Amino acid sequence: MVKKNWKIWNNNHKVEERTYARTLKKLPEMESAKQLQKIIKKDYRKKMKVLDVGCAAGHYLHNLNKIDKNIDYTGIDSTVKYIKFAKKTFKDNSNCDFFVEDIFKISKKHHKKYDITYCCNLLLHLPSIEKPISNLLKTTKKICIFRTLASKNTHLSKFLYDDKLNSKGEPVNFVYQNTFSFNFIKRVLRKNGAKKIRILQDEFKGNNVNKEFKKYQNKQSAVTQVIKNDIQIAGSKVFEWKWFKVFL
């Protein structure tokens, strides 16, 4: 049974305080945001509608505006404080909107409304991904893009922010860091109507990742760093990032 306390960002939204700083441009853009921009640019055409699922405080919009300063953007996230922050920050941008939505039950008003839907760095933090992937594909008419941990085998794990356990010996403050197998993800995608699936290698500059790690390692747990041979890790776990580009 999935516990209700897995959404640590609802109880302590500061576990991702970097999203606020990035939205205000007080931190450099993420390496994944740079690659997302490149991936979307290849297929984007004027007047396309774009949906950001798990948008946090909306910092990815800065990168999309480099593609089209008038891009028709919608961001959704289940954390109310993130959405309030995004609405306040981008209140003068008439081409974007933000809604409180849960990836496990996205409202029907978003179904088949967007030309491109993307979801970056969220699926690994969910207790399961079958329903979320199904919901992602329901929102788009053409293309779905997501970045998550994927490998040959599935590896389910939790990162504990502290050593607090409840009376049953279960962690209290944790975040999922799940890796799902390529075969499992492909099977879920095909089951939900995917016609073509492309898997892209993750691109990043290790020095940029490590600069942020050095700045935040004592402020925030689970910050990723890069070690020899361009291997990304968080704590003791290797992060095998991959991009999935799905055509419907």
Side-chain angles (χ1 to χ4, degrees), residues 136-167:
L136 286 175
L137 298 190
K138 285 179 182 177
T139 65
T140 182
K141 295 177 284 186
K142 298 178 181 179
I143 299 171
C144 179
I145 300 161
F146 59 87
R147 179 181 188 254
T148 194
L149 303 183
S151 189
K152 182 178 179 181
N153 301 108
T154 294
H155 176 192
L156 305 181
S157 59
K158 298 175 184 176
F159 180 93
L160 276 60
Y161 285 98
D162 55 46
D163 293 327
K164 294 180 182 177
L165 305 175
N166 62 21
S167 60

Short mmCIF file of all heavy atoms in Angstrom, two decimals, residues 136-167:
data_model
loop_
_atom_site.label_atom_id
_atom_site.label_comp_id
_atom_site.label_asym_id
_atom_site.label_seq_id
_atom_site.Cartn_x
_atom_site.Cartn_y
_atom_site.Cartn_z
N LEU A 136 -0.05 11.51 -18.74
CA LEU A 136 0.77 12.37 -19.58
C LEU A 136 0.35 12.25 -21.05
O LEU A 136 0.18 13.25 -21.75
CB LEU A 136 2.25 11.99 -19.45
CG LEU A 136 2.98 12.38 -18.17
CD1 LEU A 136 4.40 11.81 -18.18
CD2 LEU A 136 3.03 13.88 -17.98
N LEU A 137 0.18 11.02 -21.51
CA LEU A 137 -0.15 10.80 -22.91
C LEU A 137 -1.56 11.30 -23.24
O LEU A 137 -1.83 11.71 -24.38
CB LEU A 137 -0.02 9.32 -23.26
CG LEU A 137 1.39 8.72 -23.12
CD1 LEU A 137 1.43 7.32 -23.71
CD2 LEU A 137 2.45 9.58 -23.76
N LYS A 138 -2.44 11.30 -22.26
CA LYS A 138 -3.81 11.78 -22.50
C LYS A 138 -3.86 13.28 -22.78
O LYS A 138 -4.80 13.77 -23.39
CB LYS A 138 -4.69 11.47 -21.28
CG LYS A 138 -5.10 10.02 -21.15
CD LYS A 138 -5.94 9.81 -19.91
CE LYS A 138 -6.33 8.34 -19.75
NZ LYS A 138 -7.09 8.11 -18.49
N THR A 139 -2.85 14.01 -22.31
CA THR A 139 -2.90 15.47 -22.45
C THR A 139 -2.43 15.96 -23.81
O THR A 139 -2.70 17.11 -24.18
CB THR A 139 -2.02 16.15 -21.37
OG1 THR A 139 -0.64 15.81 -21.58
CG2 THR A 139 -2.45 15.74 -19.97
N THR A 140 -1.70 15.13 -24.55
CA THR A 140 -1.07 15.62 -25.78
C THR A 140 -1.67 15.01 -27.04
O THR A 140 -2.10 13.85 -27.05
CB THR A 140 0.45 15.35 -25.75
OG1 THR A 140 1.05 15.87 -26.93
CG2 THR A 140 0.75 13.86 -25.65
N LYS A 141 -1.66 15.80 -28.10
CA LYS A 141 -2.15 15.33 -29.39
C LYS A 141 -1.03 14.75 -30.24
O LYS A 141 -1.29 13.99 -31.17
CB LYS A 141 -2.79 16.51 -30.15
CG LYS A 141 -4.03 17.07 -29.50
CD LYS A 141 -4.58 18.26 -30.26
CE LYS A 141 -3.75 19.51 -30.02
NZ LYS A 141 -4.36 20.73 -30.64
N LYS A 142 0.23 15.12 -29.93
CA LYS A 142 1.32 14.75 -30.82
C LYS A 142 2.52 14.12 -30.12
O LYS A 142 2.91 13.00 -30.41
CB LYS A 142 1.77 15.98 -31.61
CG LYS A 142 0.70 16.58 -32.50
CD LYS A 142 1.21 17.83 -33.21
CE LYS A 142 0.12 18.43 -34.09
NZ LYS A 142 0.60 19.66 -34.79
N ILE A 143 3.12 14.88 -29.19
CA ILE A 143 4.42 14.47 -28.64
C ILE A 143 4.42 14.57 -27.12
O ILE A 143 3.90 15.52 -26.55
CB ILE A 143 5.54 15.37 -29.19
CG1 ILE A 143 5.64 15.25 -30.72
CG2 ILE A 143 6.89 15.00 -28.57
CD1 ILE A 143 6.58 16.25 -31.36
N CYS A 144 5.02 13.57 -26.48
CA CYS A 144 5.24 13.59 -25.04
C CYS A 144 6.74 13.34 -24.79
O CYS A 144 7.32 12.42 -25.36
CB CYS A 144 4.42 12.52 -24.33
SG CYS A 144 4.67 12.47 -22.53
N ILE A 145 7.32 14.18 -23.95
CA ILE A 145 8.74 14.08 -23.63
C ILE A 145 8.90 13.98 -22.12
O ILE A 145 8.27 14.75 -21.39
CB ILE A 145 9.50 15.33 -24.13
CG1 ILE A 145 9.36 15.49 -25.65
CG2 ILE A 145 10.97 15.28 -23.73
CD1 ILE A 145 9.67 16.88 -26.15
N PHE A 146 9.69 13.04 -21.65
CA PHE A 146 9.96 13.02 -20.22
C PHE A 146 11.38 12.53 -19.94
O PHE A 146 11.96 11.76 -20.71
CB PHE A 146 8.92 12.20 -19.43
CG PHE A 146 8.78 10.75 -19.82
CD1 PHE A 146 9.59 9.77 -19.25
CD2 PHE A 146 7.81 10.35 -20.73
CE1 PHE A 146 9.43 8.43 -19.58
CE2 PHE A 146 7.64 9.02 -21.07
CZ PHE A 146 8.46 8.05 -20.49
N ARG A 147 11.91 13.03 -18.84
CA ARG A 147 13.25 12.68 -18.37
C ARG A 147 13.11 11.98 -17.03
O ARG A 147 12.47 12.49 -16.12
CB ARG A 147 14.12 13.92 -18.22
CG ARG A 147 15.55 13.66 -17.71
CD ARG A 147 16.28 14.99 -17.60
NE ARG A 147 17.72 14.85 -17.30
CZ ARG A 147 18.27 15.12 -16.11
NH1 ARG A 147 17.51 15.52 -15.10
NH2 ARG A 147 19.57 14.97 -15.93
N THR A 148 13.71 10.80 -16.93
CA THR A 148 13.62 10.05 -15.68
C THR A 148 14.79 9.07 -15.60
O THR A 148 15.61 8.99 -16.51
CB THR A 148 12.27 9.33 -15.56
OG1 THR A 148 12.08 8.87 -14.21
CG2 THR A 148 12.18 8.14 -16.53
N LEU A 149 14.87 8.33 -14.51
CA LEU A 149 15.91 7.32 -14.35
C LEU A 149 15.45 6.03 -15.02
O LEU A 149 14.35 5.54 -14.74
CB LEU A 149 16.20 7.07 -12.87
CG LEU A 149 16.61 8.27 -12.03
CD1 LEU A 149 16.94 7.83 -10.60
CD2 LEU A 149 17.80 9.00 -12.65
N ALA A 150 16.29 5.50 -15.88
CA ALA A 150 15.95 4.27 -16.60
C ALA A 150 17.20 3.46 -16.84
O ALA A 150 18.28 4.01 -17.10
CB ALA A 150 15.26 4.58 -17.92
N SER A 151 17.05 2.14 -16.76
CA SER A 151 18.20 1.25 -16.94
C SER A 151 17.71 -0.12 -17.41
O SER A 151 16.53 -0.30 -17.70
CB SER A 151 18.97 1.13 -15.62
OG SER A 151 20.19 0.45 -15.80
N LYS A 152 18.60 -1.08 -17.45
CA LYS A 152 18.25 -2.42 -17.87
C LYS A 152 17.28 -3.07 -16.89
O LYS A 152 16.38 -3.81 -17.27
CB LYS A 152 19.51 -3.28 -18.01
CG LYS A 152 19.24 -4.70 -18.49
CD LYS A 152 20.53 -5.47 -18.64
CE LYS A 152 20.26 -6.91 -19.10
NZ LYS A 152 21.52 -7.69 -19.23
N ASN A 153 17.47 -2.78 -15.61
CA ASN A 153 16.63 -3.37 -14.57
C ASN A 153 15.95 -2.29 -13.73
O ASN A 153 16.42 -1.17 -13.63
CB ASN A 153 17.47 -4.26 -13.64
CG ASN A 153 18.15 -5.38 -14.37
OD1 ASN A 153 19.36 -5.37 -14.55
ND2 ASN A 153 17.37 -6.37 -14.79
N THR A 154 14.82 -2.66 -13.13
CA THR A 154 14.10 -1.76 -12.23
C THR A 154 14.75 -1.80 -10.86
O THR A 154 15.10 -2.87 -10.36
CB THR A 154 12.62 -2.17 -12.13
OG1 THR A 154 12.00 -1.96 -13.41
CG2 THR A 154 11.89 -1.34 -11.08
N HIS A 155 14.93 -0.64 -10.26
CA HIS A 155 15.55 -0.51 -8.94
C HIS A 155 14.73 0.49 -8.15
O HIS A 155 14.80 1.70 -8.38
CB HIS A 155 17.00 -0.04 -9.09
CG HIS A 155 17.70 0.20 -7.78
ND1 HIS A 155 18.91 0.86 -7.69
CD2 HIS A 155 17.37 -0.12 -6.51
CE1 HIS A 155 19.28 0.94 -6.42
NE2 HIS A 155 18.35 0.36 -5.70
N LEU A 156 13.92 0.02 -7.22
CA LEU A 156 13.07 0.88 -6.41
C LEU A 156 13.80 1.26 -5.13
O LEU A 156 14.31 0.40 -4.42
CB LEU A 156 11.75 0.18 -6.07
CG LEU A 156 10.96 -0.34 -7.29
CD1 LEU A 156 9.66 -1.01 -6.83
CD2 LEU A 156 10.67 0.77 -8.27
N SER A 157 13.86 2.58 -4.84
CA SER A 157 14.61 3.01 -3.67
C SER A 157 14.04 4.30 -3.09
O SER A 157 13.28 5.02 -3.75
CB SER A 157 16.09 3.21 -4.03
OG SER A 157 16.22 4.18 -5.05
N LYS A 158 14.44 4.60 -1.86
CA LYS A 158 14.04 5.82 -1.18
C LYS A 158 15.28 6.52 -0.64
O LYS A 158 16.21 5.87 -0.15
CB LYS A 158 13.11 5.51 -0.01
CG LYS A 158 11.80 4.84 -0.38
CD LYS A 158 11.01 4.47 0.87
CE LYS A 158 9.73 3.72 0.53
NZ LYS A 158 9.02 3.27 1.76
N PHE A 159 15.27 7.84 -0.73
CA PHE A 159 16.32 8.64 -0.11
C PHE A 159 15.74 9.25 1.16
O PHE A 159 14.73 9.94 1.12
CB PHE A 159 16.79 9.75 -1.05
CG PHE A 159 17.88 10.61 -0.47
CD1 PHE A 159 19.22 10.32 -0.69
CD2 PHE A 159 17.57 11.71 0.33
CE1 PHE A 159 20.22 11.10 -0.14
CE2 PHE A 159 18.56 12.51 0.88
CZ PHE A 159 19.89 12.20 0.65
N LEU A 160 16.38 8.98 2.31
CA LEU A 160 15.88 9.49 3.59
C LEU A 160 16.56 10.82 3.92
O LEU A 160 17.79 10.91 3.95
CB LEU A 160 16.13 8.48 4.71
CG LEU A 160 15.07 7.37 4.88
CD1 LEU A 160 14.95 6.52 3.62
CD2 LEU A 160 15.41 6.51 6.08
N TYR A 161 15.76 11.84 4.17
CA TYR A 161 16.30 13.15 4.53
C TYR A 161 16.83 13.15 5.96
O TYR A 161 17.64 14.00 6.33
CB TYR A 161 15.24 14.23 4.37
CG TYR A 161 14.99 14.57 2.91
CD1 TYR A 161 13.91 14.02 2.22
CD2 TYR A 161 15.83 15.43 2.22
CE1 TYR A 161 13.69 14.32 0.89
CE2 TYR A 161 15.62 15.74 0.89
CZ TYR A 161 14.54 15.18 0.23
OH TYR A 161 14.34 15.48 -1.08
N ASP A 162 16.36 12.22 6.76
CA ASP A 162 16.89 12.03 8.11
C ASP A 162 16.63 10.58 8.50
O ASP A 162 16.09 9.81 7.71
CB ASP A 162 16.26 13.02 9.12
CG ASP A 162 14.73 12.95 9.13
OD1 ASP A 162 14.17 11.84 9.16
OD2 ASP A 162 14.10 14.03 9.11
N ASP A 163 17.00 10.21 9.70
CA ASP A 163 16.86 8.82 10.14
C ASP A 163 15.61 8.57 10.98
O ASP A 163 15.52 7.56 11.69
CB ASP A 163 18.10 8.39 10.94
CG ASP A 163 19.35 8.34 10.07
OD1 ASP A 163 19.22 8.01 8.89
OD2 ASP A 163 20.45 8.64 10.58
N LYS A 164 14.65 9.47 10.90
CA LYS A 164 13.41 9.29 11.66
C LYS A 164 12.56 8.16 11.08
O LYS A 164 12.29 8.12 9.89
CB LYS A 164 12.60 10.59 11.66
CG LYS A 164 13.25 11.74 12.40
CD LYS A 164 12.38 12.99 12.34
CE LYS A 164 13.04 14.16 13.04
NZ LYS A 164 12.23 15.40 12.94
N LEU A 165 12.16 7.25 11.96
CA LEU A 165 11.29 6.14 11.58
C LEU A 165 10.05 6.15 12.46
O LEU A 165 10.10 6.56 13.62
CB LEU A 165 12.02 4.81 11.73
CG LEU A 165 13.36 4.65 11.00
CD1 LEU A 165 13.99 3.31 11.36
CD2 LEU A 165 13.17 4.76 9.50
N ASN A 166 8.93 5.71 11.91
CA ASN A 166 7.72 5.63 12.73
C ASN A 166 7.73 4.34 13.55
O ASN A 166 8.70 3.58 13.53
CB ASN A 166 6.46 5.75 11.86
CG ASN A 166 6.33 4.62 10.85
OD1 ASN A 166 6.92 3.54 11.00
ND2 ASN A 166 5.55 4.85 9.81
N SER A 167 6.63 4.07 14.24
CA SER A 167 6.57 2.90 15.13
C SER A 167 6.67 1.57 14.38
O SER A 167 6.98 0.54 14.96
CB SER A 167 5.27 2.94 15.94
OG SER A 167 4.14 2.92 15.08
#
